[in-house]
Amino acid sequence: MNLPLTKKNILLGVTGGIAAYKSAELVRGLIKKNAVVRVAMTESAARFVTPLTFEVLSQNRVYMDMWEGDPKEIDHVTVAGESDVFIIAPATANTIGKISHGLADNLLTNLFLAFKGPVMICPSMNSNMYLNPAVQENLQILRERNTHLMEPDFGELACGDEGIGRMPDPDNIIQALECLLKKTGELSGKKVMITAGPTREFSDPVRFLSNPSSGKMGYALAEAAVARGAEVTLISGPSQLPKPAGSQVIHTVSADEMNHAVIDHIEGMDIAIMAAAVSDYKPASCQHEKIKKNREKLSMDLELTPDILDGLGKRNNGLFLVGFAAETGDLIENMKDKMLRKNCSLMVGNLVNSSHGGFGSDNNEIVIMGRGNGQVDKLPRMTKRQAAEKIFDRIVEEIKQ
Ligand code: CTP
């Protein structure tokens, strides 16, 4: 079996935190897994552990000084280009601040900007520093750019306090890295379409029918698909969320517009995930002028919108089709019914009437149901990004079968 780390070029960035001593163990562990390791350190990291330690353990030169080496070669561009993955462990608040804002005042931060592959960051610091909103906002910026963040552990910290901020054990980091490398490129060459967010069905120029969907689930799916190497087209209803890096985003407003965008872009897609909360009905007509408050009662004729998912299911052309079911009860029965009725390959369901997460929340408690083997996975509450990873794990598994 081809193990994920064998012969992989790992670039390890070490910044100046007390946990830098654990990075030496990390290098040893990676070498044991037959990876090729090159280390880049900041000057403050070298106050904790000497470059010689890393040089001996990695059997490679350590990169620290921007100004040494052959002037004809631009080290940071060459080294970045030759690496398969870049991991920064430990990552201090200072380095996190710099890389989230594109600052590059040392070799390590230059490497970060020059590197185009998957990046994993292991923040490690005192818990008050870690929880500081400035650090959390910087981490959020990195997350949104598809950087993989490994949450620090909870426990006793170097300062004697107890809290979150410890760098995870090297073995756990290596496991996470193996998982990342296994997934990276898993969907390369695949085209994925995702719908997200609500639709708006206008009754007059200032009023519409809609729902509280934020688009978070669909956007998280787009991020996860990009991270696995897919070419992603995200067709989004109105949403405040930033564009997921690396995807093509098409903005739509009504169900009709979303339907047209889906039909226009579906050719050549391998996977389509319909995560949008599409309005089932729209006002039969949209008034050109604002409807005035000049009567006691007002009723409105509604008509069906096109069912986008159903339309794709009817094409039946080898597309791996994923539907969503947001229900207030009988989740499993409704999911099964929708999956068969709309000819989906996979159905993702969640309850929307309780504390399970759902509309607008950062978390979700989902159930994944497959058509091929009928397997039902009931997952615990997790972030929408984690849920997106689980959905892609299952898609990849089903596609392979
Ligand atoms: N969907 C769609 N177009 C619509 C309505 C729904 O593409 N006009 C898609 C959603 O994106 C979702 C799935 O269909 O993937 C299920 O949506 P849902 O509203 O739960 O199902 P409906 O078929 O509308 O059934 P009901 O509202 O009766 O539960």
Side-chain angles (χ1 to χ4, degrees):
M1 195 171 63
N2 199 5
L3 297 166
L5 283 166
T6 304
K7 294 206 177 116
K8 282 284 176 333
N9 287 303
I10 314 289
L11 179 58
L12 169 65
V14 183
T15 69
I18 181 69
Y21 77 93
K22 289 193 193 169
S23 307
E25 272 300 312
L26 182 58
V27 175
R28 276 175 56 121
L30 289 168
I31 297 283
K32 268 200 202 149
K33 296 263 181 181
N34 297 317
V36 179
V37 184
R38 280 188 292 185
V39 176
M41 310 177 72
T42 60
E43 280 184 20
S44 10
R47 290 178 178 247
F48 290 95
V49 184
T50 68
L52 185 62
T53 308
F54 289 112
E55 230 154 69
V56 172
L57 291 174
S58 70
Q59 291 292 298
N60 263 321
R61 174 189 151 197
V62 165
Y63 298 84
M64 198 166 90
D65 191 341
M66 290 252 280
W67 314 110
E68 72 175 14
D70 184 344
K72 289 199 285 303
E73 281 179 31
I74 306 177
D75 260 355
H76 57 277
V77 177
T78 318
V79 176
E82 287 168 357
S83 303
D84 295 304
V85 64
F86 188 9
I87 165 165
I88 307 183
T92 56
N94 185 36
T95 294
I96 289 167
K98 287 182 198 169
I99 61 177
S100 56
H101 288 86
L103 300 177
D105 65 348
N106 58 29
L107 189 53
L108 191 149
T109 45
N110 273 280
L111 278 167
F112 179 84
L113 290 188
F115 185 66
K116 283 162 96 179
V119 180
M120 194 164 121
I121 309 267
C122 299
S124 168
M125 63 200 79
N126 161 276
S127 55
N128 289 341
M129 288 173 75
Y130 179 69
L131 296 172
N132 187 293
V135 174
Q136 286 301 316
E137 277 172 28
N138 290 339
L139 289 172
Q140 188 54 23
I141 291 175
L142 293 173
R143 241 180 240 119
E144 281 162 12
R145 291 183 192 149
N146 274 329
T147 304
H148 299 265
L149 294 182
M150 198 169 170
E151 289 280 309
D153 283 350
F154 188 93
E156 196 185 323
L157 302 166
C159 53
D161 288 353
E162 207 174 66
I164 188 162
R166 279 168 66 93
M167 183 163 119
D169 282 342
D171 282 349
N172 294 342
I173 297 178
I174 290 171
Q175 246 183 39
L177 209 51
E178 281 179 325
C179 196
L180 172 66
L181 281 168
K182 227 167 70 193
K183 285 178 178 170
T184 306
E186 211 170 38
L187 291 176
S188 74
K190 296 267 185 245
K191 289 186 167 191
V192 178
M193 172 190 279
I194 296 163
T195 63
T199 62
R200 287 181 183 171
E201 313 302 329
F202 279 84
S203 56
D204 73 11
V206 293
R207 300 184 183 93
F208 53 78
L209 289 177
S210 193
N211 59 66
S213 166
S214 60
K216 283 178 186 166
M217 192 64 239
Y219 279 58
L221 282 161
E223 280 173 19
V226 169
R228 291 181 195 223
E231 194 182 311
V232 179
T233 304
L234 175 65
I235 299 179
S236 175
S239 169
Q240 301 295 321
L241 299 172
K243 170 184 184 292
S247 60
Q248 184 199 3
V249 183
I250 295 160
H251 294 282
T252 59
V253 178
S254 65
D256 281 308
E257 271 180 40
M258 188 176 272
N259 189 38
H260 283 130
V262 167
I263 292 169
D264 285 350
H265 292 85
I266 197 66
E267 210 50 53
M269 289 289 162
D270 299 290
I271 301 167
I273 309 177
M274 301 290 106
V278 185
S279 180
D280 286 337
Y281 291 93
K282 63 179 179 182
S285 63
C286 175
Q287 305 301 313
H288 291 300
E289 301 292 332
K290 189 179 165 203
I291 300 169
K292 287 290 179 192
K293 193 175 61 181
N294 52 11
R295 56 207 119 172
E296 272 302 307
K297 281 188 179 173
L298 177 69
S299 59
M300 194 180 281
D301 275 341
L302 300 178
E303 61 185 38
L304 278 170
T305 57
D307 193 317
I308 307 170
L309 177 62
D310 193 57
L312 292 185
K314 288 202 168 84
R315 294 167 75 104
N316 204 0
N317 55 355
L319 179 74
F320 191 92
L321 185 59
V322 183
F324 267 70
E327 304 292 339
T328 48
D330 299 329
L331 182 60
I332 301 292
E333 293 73 27
N334 278 316
M335 284 175 70
K336 199 178 263 170
D337 169 59
K338 268 175 205 175
M339 184 167 67
L340 297 176
R341 198 159 36 86
K342 302 197 185 190
N343 200 17
C344 298
S345 324
L346 200 77
M347 197 47 124
V348 180
N350 67 298
L351 287 169
V352 283
N353 57 347
S354 61
S355 56
H356 296 84
F359 282 142
S361 160
D362 285 330
N363 299 304
N364 212 351
E365 196 175 314
I366 59 164
V367 174
I368 306 178
M369 183 185 282
R371 179 145 179 188
N373 56 10
Q375 187 187 317
V376 174
D377 290 336
K378 291 184 184 177
L379 301 173
R381 187 181 166 88
M382 58 182 73
T383 65
K384 286 187 172 168
R385 179 57 202 268
Q386 286 166 333
E389 293 294 344
K390 296 282 181 201
I391 293 167
F392 275 110
D393 285 348
R394 184 71 187 268
I395 292 174
V396 169
E397 202 181 290
E398 299 249 345
I399 284 177
K400 272 192 205 146
Q401 280 174 2

